[in-house]
Amino acid sequence: MARFTSDDDTRRLGEALADLRRDRGLSQAEAGQRVGMTSQGWGLYEAGRRPGLYRPDVQRRLTAALEATPEDLLLRAAPPATPPVSAPAAGVEATGRAFRPAPSAEVRMMQLTGDEMAPWASAGVTVAYRPGQAPRPGQGCVVRLTDGRRIVALFEEGGEALHLSRPNGERFDLARSEVAELSAIVGRLEDN
């Protein structure tokens, strides 16, 4: 059985969850009890070792146990701002024989205007996305097209074309020549 391996973003979200819990003066057992899970289950989320921490319903459930919101979690998880420097990019990523700069740590926001992502997100919901960060299969993404339009969808796989889908099961492809930028969605903000 394959083990879930935590990435930096998931670890950062887990650490933010732990910070929120500590601010409320709760133990992992107390926080877990509020949502009907064990302290070990809660601890796996905090360690970034449990998949699902990006799911909006999981974020709402866990932050509600701490009398907080998913927005509080995302603000805590945002990487610290660094002053601009004139040095070259921090790293490069190999793409065959070509190289491209490492993805930006910048997080952008976009408010949805339609219900194409319902029930996951409807019109008026704001999604947070990281420009240039490649999404994992099944993760939400924002695609900026060469004509300037942006599309929000679930990423299925890449290759010659991007294979995308909607939560309702509708699948569609975009040719790489149409795509200016692909970005992973890292959070969702709702007005409640």
Side-chain angles (χ1 to χ4, degrees), residues 135 137 155-164 174 176 182:
F155 179 79
E156 297 298 329
E157 64 181 340
E160 295 287 321
L162 289 183
H163 303 288
L164 306 170
L174 288 175
R176 283 284 181 172
L182 175 64

Side-chain angles (χ1 to χ4, degrees), residues 12 18 22 35 74-76 96 98 112 133 135 143 151 153 180 190:
R12 195 176 300 120
R22 284 187 213 104
V35 291
L74 291 175
L75 288 172
R76 293 261 179 141
L112 300 180
Q133 178 178 324
V143 181
I151 296 173
E190 293 185 66

Side-chain angles (χ1 to χ4, degrees), residues 37-46 50:
M37 71 173 64
T38 65
S39 62
Q40 291 86 1
W42 187 277
L44 288 173
Y45 279 118
E46 287 186 1
R50 191 169 199 176

Side-chain angles (χ1 to χ4, degrees), residues 12-13 21 35 39 55 67 77 79 105 115 134 136-137 149 169:
R12 195 176 300 120
L13 265 179
R21 176 186 54 78
V35 291
S39 62
R55 289 183 30 201
E67 298 173 358
D115 289 329
R136 297 181 301 271
R149 291 181 298 140

Side-chain angles (χ1 to χ4, degrees), residues 32-90:
Q33 185 178 25
R34 289 181 175 194
V35 291
M37 71 173 64
T38 65
S39 62
Q40 291 86 1
W42 187 277
L44 288 173
Y45 279 118
E46 287 186 1
R49 296 186 49 186
R50 191 169 199 176
L53 195 50
Y54 280 104
R55 289 183 30 201
D57 59 319
V58 172
Q59 286 180 5
R60 274 195 310 274
R61 196 170 124 222
L62 296 178
T63 57
L66 303 175
E67 298 173 358
T69 65
E71 293 84 6
D72 296 328
L73 180 66
L74 291 175
L75 288 172
R76 293 261 179 141
T82 55
V85 293
S86 58

Side-chain angles (χ1 to χ4, degrees), residues 106-170:
E106 172 188 10
V107 174
R108 293 184 188 160
M109 303 291 187
M110 177 178 141
Q111 187 172 32
L112 300 180
T113 57
D115 289 329
E116 64 273 4
M117 293 298 287
W120 181 78
S122 56
V125 170
T126 300
V127 293
Y129 64 97
R130 187 160 287 133
Q133 178 178 324
R136 297 181 301 271
Q139 184 177 8
C141 66
V142 175
V143 181
R144 185 170 50 87
L145 301 175
T146 54
D147 65 5
R149 291 181 298 140
R150 291 184 295 178
I151 296 173
V152 179
L154 297 174
F155 179 79
E156 297 298 329
E157 64 181 340
E160 295 287 321
L162 289 183
H163 303 288
L164 306 170
S165 66
R166 302 274 189 218
N168 66 6
E170 171 195 350

